[in-house]
Amino acid sequence: MTIRLTINSKEIITEEGQTVLEAARQNGITIPTLCYHKDLSPVGSCRLCLVEVEKWRGLTAACTLAASDGMVVHTESPTIFEARKTVLDLLLLNYSDAGYGEFDGHDTEFKHWVKAYGASLPAGYKPQPKYPVDSDPNPFVWVDLNKCILCTRCVRACAEIQGRFVWGVGYRGHEAKIIAGEDTTMLEARCESCGACAAYCPTGALDHKLSVGAGTADRLVTTTCTYCGVGCQFDLNVKDDRVIRVTSNPDAPVNGMHLCVKGRYGFDFIHHPDRLLAPKVRRYLLEGGAKPPGDQRSPSSSRPIPWDWVEVSWETALDIAAQKLTRTRQTHGSDSIGVLTSAKCLNEENYLMNKFARQVVGTNNIDHCARL
Amino acid sequence: MPRQTYKPIDPQITALVEEHGSSSEAVLEVLTDLQELRGQLTPSAIADVARLLHIPAEKAYGIASFYSMLQIAGQEVGKQRLVRLCDGPVCWLCQGASTRQAVESALAGQQDWKIERTSCLGLCDRAPAALVDEIQVGPLHPEDALKLASGFAGQAVDYSRLRPGELRVMLAQAGQIDPDSIVSALTHGAYQALGSALARPAESVLREVEESGLTGRGGAGFPVGRKWRFVAQAQRAPKYIICNADESEPLIFKDRVLIDTNPHQLLEGMAIAGYATGAHEGFIYIRGEYASQAKRLELAIAQAEEAGWLGDNLQGTSFSFHIHVHRGAGAYICGEETALIESLEGKRGEPRNRPPYPPTAGYRGLPTLVNNVESFNAVPAILLNGAAWYRSLSSYPTPGTKIYMLLGHVNKPGLFEAPFGLTLRQVIEQFGEGMLPGSEFNLALTGGAAGTIVSSASLDIPIDYASASNGISLGAGAFFVCDQRVSPVALLRELLHFFTVESCGKCTPCRVGTQRSLEILDQLVARQGKPEDIKELQTLADVMQSASFCGLGQSVAVPIKSALSNFKPDFETAFSSIELDRKKR
């Protein structure tokens, strides 16, 4: 059902079931938010998206307010500004930033709104850290609850996006804090280190451990993950031609903000010294000799040994592979050969490997790593 | 990296979970019973409960750490006797600090005893009060501390005698019936109203309650009949009746007295509500500290089922109604109706977004009526005597009678029943028999902890649900009268201590606003305040009132704002000497 409401004197037509926040955003009206995220169920707890509804008492959170026919909403007024600023002032009271992430790029959502509303601490007040910085041994997710504002986006991302239920809210009142499992470590609480919690965190309380302190990116490169066939997209954060961080790209068509541990954190191979950049073959294959006995693998000798890897051109490498495959098929038959393809290959490449196995080699022995 | 190793589930926990029907809604009861067996809850035991109930460990731990009566310990230290000493405002006024010292020294070095602070126990008429395991103790004066180990419980207050000017409807049977005997209750007219209701069409019962003008006695004063109508009109079924007996606001203890004097009156009121709205199941959510009242209700339910006034086919009619008692575990917030429903569903007691309101989507998402103990207690007399009679009880626009609680520096504190429209002066002079000798009226906290702090300027304003706009609130009906020795700044500090400890923590204004207000008031009480503190308190009150998620968070502003407007000079003299000097110059 279509409904008509008025936001800031502008008539807005939307569908029943939309919230005032959604209706406002669709019409280019900005309402500040922290606990709200479009991917997550709204909870209305941070109270930053306060708006006035005519004939209603007090202020109402726009993120949980169902738009209804004839509603008259104001999203900006001195009262609203003052209330939002006070909410941010209050959040600052318990926000202790040790400063390590200062040069890690754009402002967090929280810092953005703090600046926009000129929120500040009372004169002479210094927030005290209550928790150790980097308090969780998870190798990928950085935890600093001193920056937590209890928006619970991490809790909802873990439950609603990843379905792991690692994060929860423990304790009560001003002692409330985000807990993993029975207030244990993330991995004990069966975390898969997908990093969704850190991706959704608006304050940097949860961050990417590999990238904390890595600096600001010069450019973002949107690319497709090479790990599997799902085709997730994300942004490589590049600084001085090195990838320093992977961030979710909310517009990614397949995955949105969601990534797995490999896509989000497995980027160290890009610049790893062990990474193969050209084909390599064993020295004895180049020299045309037969396979030498295994005991000659010992690196004790200083002269070149037959088992060494030697970098060669693609032509040479493919020729050797083709010769060996042909010889094997002639000697032992087609079914002595098997083909295992990789999720890192494109669908087209996997298709070609299928043709290669069945039509060129003549075997049905073909499988794919994603099926294992 | 420490790896989780497989650990079989504790068989005692398995048995306990099965006993509670393996329902995730029972998590709070399972944890309470487990603590009863073991003394403490360990993270590993909580994880076992979670696995057996098929809920995530974080959820179970979140619940265990939310409720103040549940104790989490890294390791079990075994069962201990637990003394919970009340630090509510009335116990504070009644030298609760001396009692605390005396109890601490009496039990010093005794490993099998543990002392804890607790928010108001609802024993304000027995202050200074304590809870020893499940036994309500009070008054507990310092000289009685040594007797705790031998079962000292103090003395309950007898409310069987009427005060001059009292008009008793809900308390009519006080002292006349044995609350633990349905035979005694039946001879004094219990269940006659239910019997007469069952003989009428449900619609006519509903209309009688609507016409009586009965308003919700929890504090908000919402018309009871209208709420019943919403539930009756709701299309979905089953429907539920919930009695809010989570009475956890400091100064309020009427529900405890009502249950202790006549538990059947409450059950009867709930059954009538069920009949009028088409519900067949009811829950009494009672605060965990009221263990003896919970037991009394369970006994009354069993007796009423035996007598055919509860259970299947009441008195041979086609109407069935079952009532269950559900014990809370220490959380003021569960008095907020949606937080109560969350808690009843086995979750952290955090309020839900409204709308939808409970009559549309409440317990288990189904139409639910939530009323206060006192509201249900008012119903039987209305059905028996009619709406017109009920309206005639009061010459004031608000019909019927109300239970009032009077505390502090008056000659005769306690509890009484009277119509609406009393003035504070009447309450003190007529019902309280005046201020104590040597005491002069200085201030009163009216309503409850979330009520107004008023000066003598408000002594002659008639009080009802609408009088809050005149600066004096009725709330749940308490009057805490203080003499010249009590500073409004210190009293407000006690209240904010309560709200800070009891905030659920869901929304920013209440979670941080209460904490910050308490910090400021601590400074003011210590005479270390600054002129800007008053402005900051005002700003905090504004944001809590306009922007808190639930009614309880919003109401924290009421005592702050009233104290600031009625007692500004007291706040200004609480500045530090440097600031005072600066001000003089």
Side-chain angles (χ1 to χ4, degrees):
Chain A
M1 198 185 91
T2 304
I3 49 176
R4 289 162 194 275
L5 71 159
T6 309
I7 304 182
N8 300 349
S9 312
K10 180 179 170 188
E11 184 173 79
I12 283 175
I13 298 166
T14 187
E15 287 299 306
E16 194 176 349
Q18 295 287 87
T19 63
V20 168
L21 178 69
E22 286 161 345
R25 288 201 170 169
Q26 284 155 10
N27 288 276
I29 298 166
T30 302
I31 298 174
T33 54
L34 282 172
C35 70
Y36 172 84
H37 192 285
K38 67 176 175 56
D39 297 349
L40 308 172
S41 60
V43 289
S45 65
C46 77
R47 317 306 281 175
L48 188 62
C49 65
L50 297 166
V51 295
E52 280 167 356
V53 182
E54 278 186 16
K55 296 181 192 147
W56 285 32
R57 197 163 50 95
L59 303 170
T60 310
C63 69
T64 50
L65 176 61
S68 66
D69 214 32
M71 195 177 241
V72 182
V73 181
H74 300 280
T75 72
E76 301 295 335
S77 79
T79 313
I80 294 171
F81 184 90
E82 197 52 40
R84 288 178 187 163
K85 179 183 169 298
T86 309
V87 165
L88 291 163
D89 287 346
L90 289 175
L91 290 173
L92 278 175
L93 290 169
N94 292 322
Y95 175 86
S96 164
D97 183 352
Y100 51 79
E102 202 178 337
F103 304 108
D104 277 358
H106 302 298
D107 279 346
T108 60
E109 278 176 60
F110 178 57
K111 279 195 179 159
H112 170 80
W113 292 120
V114 163
K115 282 185 191 166
Y117 279 83
S120 60
L121 288 163
Y125 188 99
K126 194 173 182 311
Q128 293 304 310
K130 287 196 267 184
Y131 310 99
V133 169
D134 186 17
S135 57
D136 195 283
N138 184 302
F140 302 111
V141 179
W142 171 271
V143 181
D144 179 3
L145 294 182
N146 300 304
K147 289 179 172 178
C148 176
I149 56 165
L150 281 166
C151 70
T152 70
R153 266 158 63 159
C154 55
V155 176
R156 285 171 285 148
C158 192
E160 296 169 16
I161 305 282
Q162 189 69 8
R164 286 307 279 179
F165 299 91
V166 171
W167 290 115
V169 182
Y171 308 93
R172 185 169 86 190
H174 65 286
E175 289 176 347
K177 68 162 185 158
I178 299 300
I179 54 167
E182 60 272 26
D183 202 4
T184 176
T185 62
M186 293 176 72
L187 292 183
E188 287 280 346
R190 309 188 311 130
C191 169
E192 288 172 332
S193 306
C194 73
C197 53
Y200 283 93
C201 179
T203 70
L206 300 178
D207 206 342
H208 308 309
K209 196 173 266 186
L210 302 171
S211 310
V212 167
T216 310
D218 315 325
R219 59 198 163 102
L220 297 182
V221 180
T222 303
T223 188
T224 304
C225 182
T226 58
Y227 275 106
C228 81
V230 171
C232 296
Q233 290 196 340
F234 49 67
D235 291 340
L236 294 174
N237 292 220
V238 181
K239 178 179 189 266
D240 303 332
D241 279 339
R242 293 185 72 84
V243 175
I244 54 167
R245 175 184 303 121
V246 168
T247 46
S248 290
N249 183 329
D251 301 325
V254 172
N255 57 305
M257 296 279 286
H258 188 203
L259 285 171
C260 76
V261 60
K262 292 189 280 185
R264 198 183 304 276
Y265 298 120
F267 59 86
D268 61 339
F269 74 91
I270 298 170
H271 305 295
H272 201 283
D274 291 351
R275 179 174 174 186
L276 288 180
L277 298 169
K280 285 183 177 182
V281 295
R282 299 283 190 194
R283 185 178 297 281
Y284 74 84
L285 290 171
L286 281 178
E287 290 166 353
K291 189 191 277 189
D295 56 7
Q296 289 189 25
R297 290 184 197 210
S298 159
S300 57
S301 156
S302 58
R303 66 188 168 81
I305 52 169
W307 286 93
D308 277 348
W309 287 109
V310 181
E311 196 170 300
V312 294
S313 68
W314 277 108
E315 285 76 16
T316 311
L318 288 171
D319 278 350
I320 290 173
Q323 280 167 21
K324 297 279 281 182
L325 284 170
T326 310
R327 201 177 311 147
T328 305
R329 191 172 71 151
Q330 281 166 356
T331 319
H332 302 288
S334 302
D335 282 341
S336 65
I337 296 171
V339 176
L340 183 66
T341 62
S342 165
K344 284 199 169 194
C345 301
L346 304 176
N347 279 346
E348 291 79 358
E349 291 165 343
N350 279 309
Y351 177 78
L352 287 174
M353 286 310 286
N354 161 54
K355 288 288 181 199
F356 171 74
R358 294 188 211 273
Q359 293 191 355
V360 179
V361 180
T363 179
N364 288 325
N365 294 340
I366 177 161
D367 214 330
H368 186 274
C369 76
R371 209 186 60 82
L372 296 180
Chain B
M1 194 63 54
R3 297 297 303 171
Q4 207 165 25
T5 49
Y6 176 75
K7 182 179 75 67
I9 290 178
D10 189 326
Q12 194 179 28
I13 299 179
T14 310
L16 198 60
V17 167
E18 280 169 4
E19 201 180 298
H20 285 282
S22 302
S23 148
S24 65
E25 281 190 357
V27 58
L28 190 54
E29 286 154 318
V30 171
L31 291 170
T32 307
D33 286 0
L34 185 60
Q35 175 170 296
E36 180 70 28
L37 283 170
R38 304 276 180 86
Q40 298 82 28
L41 298 169
T42 61
S44 123
I46 294 167
D48 279 356
V49 170
R51 278 169 70 188
L52 289 164
L53 293 176
H54 306 291
I55 58 173
E58 50 85 6
K59 288 260 185 305
Y61 194 91
I63 291 159
S65 59
F66 183 87
Y67 295 96
S68 65
M69 291 178 77
L70 298 177
Q71 319 255 324
I72 300 176
Q75 288 197 324
E76 280 178 25
V77 285
K79 282 201 73 170
Q80 288 173 308
R81 300 290 308 273
L82 185 57
V83 185
R84 291 188 174 92
L85 291 166
C86 180
D87 66 3
V90 183
C91 292
W92 163 75
L93 191 78
C94 296
Q95 311 303 322
S98 316
T99 294
R100 175 177 304 274
Q101 275 180 0
V103 172
E104 277 167 2
S105 63
L107 298 176
Q110 300 199 33
Q111 294 300 316
D112 52 338
W113 285 81
K114 191 170 176 226
I115 303 170
E116 280 213 337
R117 69 150 288 282
T118 173
S119 295
C120 182
L121 287 170
L123 298 169
C124 306
D125 56 344
R126 295 172 67 180
L131 197 64
V132 178
D133 296 330
E134 290 193 338
I135 302 159
Q136 291 161 336
V137 181
L140 175 62
H141 296 298
E143 59 270 24
D144 301 320
L146 282 170
K147 296 187 233 159
L148 273 184
S150 52
F152 174 82
Q155 186 63 50
V157 184
D158 175 17
Y159 291 114
S160 58
R161 298 227 328 261
L162 260 78
R163 291 168 196 243
E166 225 182 310
L167 175 61
R168 286 190 170 186
V169 175
M170 293 171 276
L171 284 175
Q173 319 296 342
Q176 294 181 33
I177 63 165
D178 172 359
D180 295 328
S181 157
I182 194 170
V183 178
S184 160
L186 287 171
T187 55
H188 284 87
Y191 297 106
Q192 282 180 14
L194 177 58
S196 77
L198 291 175
R200 299 164 63 171
E203 171 59 27
S204 129
V205 174
L206 182 51
R207 202 168 299 145
E208 194 80 56
V209 174
E210 277 178 326
E211 283 167 6
S212 75
L214 175 65
T215 45
R217 300 295 197 243
F222 189 84
V224 170
R226 201 186 305 166
K227 220 186 224 184
W228 288 25
R229 174 70 67 189
F230 290 147
V231 179
Q233 282 171 343
Q235 294 299 314
R236 292 174 311 140
K239 300 173 183 180
Y240 297 100
I241 305 292
I242 294 178
C243 170
N244 183 347
D246 193 57
E247 186 170 74
S248 303
E249 185 179 355
L251 314 188
I252 314 296
F253 56 93
K254 63 188 175 69
D255 298 346
R256 171 175 58 80
V257 175
L258 281 168
I259 292 167
D260 275 340
T261 49
N262 189 357
H264 291 286
Q265 190 166 258
L266 168 60
L267 305 181
E268 190 177 1
M270 288 178 73
I272 293 169
Y275 180 71
T277 58
H280 300 283
E281 199 167 7
F283 294 88
I284 302 174
Y285 186 100
I286 188 164
R287 66 180 298 191
E289 293 87 345
Y290 284 180
S292 46
Q293 286 71 30
K295 286 193 180 120
R296 172 156 284 151
L297 285 167
E298 276 163 355
L299 177 69
I301 290 167
Q303 290 176 347
E305 282 174 352
E306 184 83 4
W309 287 108
L310 284 179
D312 291 328
N313 302 99
L314 268 56
Q315 302 298 307
T317 65
S318 61
F319 176 64
S320 301
F321 196 73
H322 295 265
I323 298 182
H324 316 277
V325 175
H326 185 101
R327 284 184 61 186
Y332 162 64
I333 182 65
C334 291
E336 200 282 340
E337 60 179 7
T338 60
L340 183 153
I341 291 169
E342 286 280 292
S343 182
L344 198 61
E345 289 180 359
K347 299 175 194 157
R348 288 165 64 85
E350 289 178 359
R352 290 180 184 173
N353 191 51
R354 300 190 305 176
Y357 292 89
T360 319
Y363 179 57
R364 295 176 178 165
L366 290 159
T368 303
L369 173 78
V370 187
N371 273 150
N372 182 261
V373 172
E374 191 184 339
S375 311
F376 282 122
N377 267 276
V379 168
I382 294 172
L383 264 290
L384 269 186
N385 304 302
W389 165 84
Y390 193 71
R391 284 188 168 273
S392 75
L393 293 175
S394 173
S395 56
Y396 206 70
T398 313
T401 57
K402 169 87 191 81
I403 311 274
Y404 298 95
M405 292 140 284
L406 175 57
L407 299 155
H409 295 133
V410 291
N411 283 313
K412 209 176 159 202
L415 171 141
F416 60 91
E417 185 173 357
F420 291 85
L422 302 179
T423 65
L424 189 50
R425 189 184 301 280
Q426 240 182 316
V427 168
I428 297 169
E429 300 300 331
Q430 184 186 342
F431 293 95
E433 295 178 8
M435 299 293 293
L436 285 174
S439 283
E440 269 176 51
F441 177 86
N442 179 30
L443 60 93
L445 171 61
T446 76
T452 43
I453 297 180
V454 298
S455 69
S456 55
S458 300
L459 278 170
D460 296 307
I461 302 171
I463 302 165
D464 77 342
Y465 294 107
S467 62
S469 56
N470 293 326
I472 185 161
S473 63
L474 172 62
F479 299 96
F480 185 35
V481 179
C482 300
D483 69 12
Q484 66 280 2
R485 291 168 292 177
V486 179
S487 140
V489 183
L491 174 62
L492 188 61
R493 187 253 163 227
E494 292 307 309
L495 302 181
L496 260 298
H497 171 65
F498 170 79
F499 292 124
T500 305
V501 171
E502 292 296 332
S503 167
C504 80
K506 177 169 180 155
C507 75
T508 312
C510 174
R511 180 182 70 242
V512 197
T514 53
Q515 181 200 13
R516 179 61 186 159
S517 304
L518 178 61
E519 279 173 12
I520 294 171
L521 286 160
D522 276 338
Q523 292 291 307
L524 288 167
V525 167
R527 294 192 176 273
Q528 294 297 319
K530 301 186 292 291
E532 53 269 33
D533 288 347
I534 292 181
K535 187 167 171 285
E536 198 182 343
L537 271 180
Q538 190 72 51
T539 307
L540 291 166
D542 284 342
V543 78
M544 284 192 273
Q545 186 158 48
S546 64
S548 284
F549 189 95
C550 77
L552 299 199
Q554 291 159 13
S555 70
V556 177
V558 177
I560 302 179
K561 287 190 161 186
S562 55
L564 283 175
S565 79
N566 296 328
F567 294 95
K568 199 158 185 213
D570 292 81
F571 285 84
E572 286 170 349
T573 52
F575 297 156
S576 70
S577 50
I578 305 166
E579 298 290 352
L580 284 175
D581 286 351
R582 194 175 292 160
K583 205 169 167 224
K584 269 182 223 151
R585 271 188 264 132

